[in-house]
Amino acid sequence: MNKKVIVTGGCGYIGSHTVVELIENGFETVVFDNLSNSKEFILDRIQQITGVKPQFEKVDLANAEASDKAYQKHADAIAIINFAAYKAVGESVQKPMMYYKNNLYALINSIEAQQKYGIYHFIFSSSATVYGEPDILPITEMNQIKRPFSPYGNTKKIAEEILEDFSKSNEAFKVVSLRYFNPIGAHNSGLIGELPNGIPNNLLPYITQCAAGVLKELQVFGDDYNTKDGTAIRDYIHVVDLAKAHVQSLERLLANKEEANFEVFNLGTGNGFTVLDIIKTFEKVAKVNLNYKIVDRRAGDVEALYAETQQAAEKLAWSATLNLEDMIRSSWNWEQSIRDITDKTSGEAKR
Ligand code: WQD
């Protein structure tokens, strides 16, 4: 049986980990990536891990003609897993149209290709940010969807609405949207992981670059939240657990087990940890003292986000298995392994 899967953004952080899991589950993978926020050498790293180098098309999916050409070449694919998107929350506030055009043009071009070439399964990389400031915790898939604070988050909300409408118009097409909580960590090999462009926005890469001496001091954004230690709570999930959920989602669709043409699943652990929990766990695992100071809250941050995970457990036969120490140990291992390929001052990958 043909098991070719197109992974857009497959050279990126979550995309590359998903490609590894797909290969290890017997799928043939083709990576579409414009390398705007990733590096091509990640494909060689995937080959080092799995023994298989994914096929690769360097393509800007926001360009309709280029996108169609790439999809036409791989029209025999059975599924598209869509990671290709810009994802820096702060940058999206500064440059909203860059985010709306890139993220939504790429999505729409991919949906049109799916329709034109009859690729019947679509898995979308969404985010818990679509819940905004939750009224109820833990967050279930039935929680009210709100206007996300950032244009980045809003592209995820709009994309889900487009996919839902598209899947309703076409019985044959099945869509699963996966709402990630906070992905952290890296593959245990230390060969793939997060390669932030410039100064990291997210907590873990910022912490590991501080510990590696690339950055001087971590700023903790607020300790006046209504939590055990005043710092904000998130549901951190290991990127390898997250990658496995994409394979489980694909298997669900291939087995025709879906209960609707458009389904959404929260991907979290169901556990919430504060920023200070993360700092303390990092210091314990890495055996280093972190230099940090408490500053004002960051605009747009919410007090607490953590997932209700029953739907994914029941319908994807998936639950997170790796704990916080596993996540943080793998992040630190990755940071140390990339020291030789990243610029000592900017932390950016040189290769
Ligand atoms: C986590 C916690 C910060 C940095 C965002 C997107 C989400 C997803 C993951 C993008 C918060 C605190 C952070 C720092 C800090 N998608 N923090 N100092 O904001 O929960 O989610 O990234 O890939 O869609 O919204 O993640 O890692 O930025 O922050 O104190 O230098 O750490 O306030 O409480 P966030 P984050």
Side-chain angles (χ1 to χ4, degrees):
M1 169 194 167
N2 168 16
K3 296 187 77 174
K4 182 189 274 190
V5 178
I6 294 168
V7 183
T8 77
C11 285
Y13 174 40
I14 301 169
S16 56
H17 285 84
T18 302
V19 170
V20 165
E21 296 303 323
L22 285 166
I23 292 170
E24 291 184 346
N25 281 273
F27 289 95
E28 179 190 352
T29 57
V30 186
V31 169
F32 286 8
D33 206 307
N34 65 1
L35 302 179
S36 64
N37 191 21
S38 56
K39 303 288 180 189
E40 191 172 351
F41 76 80
I42 290 296
L43 300 171
D44 299 316
R45 296 292 181 92
I46 291 171
Q47 182 174 23
Q48 279 179 263
I49 294 168
T50 65
V52 176
K53 185 170 183 178
Q55 296 170 67
F56 175 56
E57 303 292 346
K58 186 173 183 223
V59 55
D60 176 6
L61 292 171
N63 176 305
E65 194 181 334
S67 171
D68 182 70
K69 192 159 167 259
Y71 278 109
Q72 186 180 35
K73 188 175 167 187
H74 298 282
D76 59 332
I78 57 169
I80 298 169
I81 304 185
N82 188 85
F83 294 101
Y86 295 150
K87 65 160 206 164
V89 172
E91 183 185 51
S92 77
V93 174
Q94 305 306 321
K95 301 175 182 172
M97 290 320 295
M98 182 176 114
Y99 273 67
Y100 285 117
K101 283 170 67 176
N102 181 68
N103 293 6
L104 297 178
Y105 285 176
L107 175 83
I108 289 166
N109 290 336
S110 296
I111 291 174
E112 299 208 324
Q114 186 179 32
Q115 192 155 25
K116 185 172 177 182
Y117 300 112
I119 304 172
Y120 296 106
H121 307 110
F122 195 100
I123 294 171
F124 178 66
S125 165
S126 190
S127 167
T129 200
V130 302
Y131 296 114
E133 176 92 53
D135 305 321
I136 302 168
L137 285 168
I139 296 174
T140 75
E141 289 81 356
M142 302 309 288
N143 264 56
Q144 188 191 352
I145 302 301
K146 297 185 182 164
R147 175 63 158 85
F149 159 76
S150 70
Y152 154 76
N154 206 30
T155 66
K156 294 297 184 185
K157 175 177 178 290
I158 296 168
E160 285 198 352
E161 290 163 352
I162 292 170
L163 284 163
E164 187 169 18
D165 289 346
F166 164 70
S167 65
K168 280 180 186 158
S169 72
N170 240 306
E171 263 307 297
F173 296 99
K174 314 288 183 187
V175 179
V176 167
S177 183
L178 299 173
R179 293 173 180 164
Y180 309 155
F181 280 68
N182 284 65
I184 61 171
H187 193 268
N188 270 340
S189 63
L191 290 168
I192 55 175
E194 193 168 5
L195 280 172
N197 247 337
I199 295 178
N201 302 294
N202 294 130
L203 179 64
L204 240 298
Y206 203 103
I207 285 178
T208 57
Q209 287 195 19
C210 281
V214 176
L215 295 171
K216 294 224 177 329
E217 179 184 69
L218 170 71
Q219 294 187 319
V220 175
F221 297 137
D223 69 345
D224 56 350
Y225 290 101
N226 182 20
T227 63
K228 67 177 184 178
D229 59 29
T231 61
I233 290 170
R234 294 291 182 276
D235 184 336
Y236 297 93
I237 176 169
H238 199 298
V239 66
V240 172
D241 273 332
L242 199 67
K244 291 180 188 298
H246 291 72
V247 178
Q248 295 296 104
S249 299
L250 181 56
E251 298 289 11
R252 175 178 171 83
L253 293 181
L254 294 176
N256 298 312
K257 289 184 177 167
E258 72 285 343
E259 292 160 16
N261 275 38
F262 178 80
E263 294 182 303
V264 295
F265 295 99
N266 286 343
L267 297 184
T269 65
N271 305 313
F273 289 101
T274 68
V275 177
L276 289 178
D277 285 331
I278 301 301
I279 291 171
K280 291 190 181 73
T281 306
F282 181 83
E283 291 182 326
K284 176 188 169 198
V285 164
K287 298 183 178 53
V288 299
N289 286 326
L290 263 183
N291 190 15
Y292 68 89
K293 74 174 176 186
I294 308 289
V295 299
D296 291 340
R297 293 183 179 190
R298 177 173 65 177
D301 275 353
V302 299
E303 178 168 274
L305 280 177
Y306 51 93
E308 207 292 317
T309 59
Q310 191 186 347
Q311 287 301 305
E314 279 175 19
K315 298 181 179 169
L316 300 181
W318 171 92
S319 296
T321 59
L322 297 163
N323 65 32
L324 188 63
E325 290 197 9
D326 298 325
M327 299 178 210
I328 289 178
R329 187 175 297 109
S330 66
S331 286
W332 182 227
N333 179 47
W334 164 247
E335 180 66 56
Q336 291 172 293
S337 71
I338 55 175
R339 282 295 112 233
D340 66 320
I341 60 164
T342 52
D343 183 279
K344 293 286 175 287
T345 49
S346 73
E348 230 168 292
K350 289 182 289 197
R351 289 171 58 179

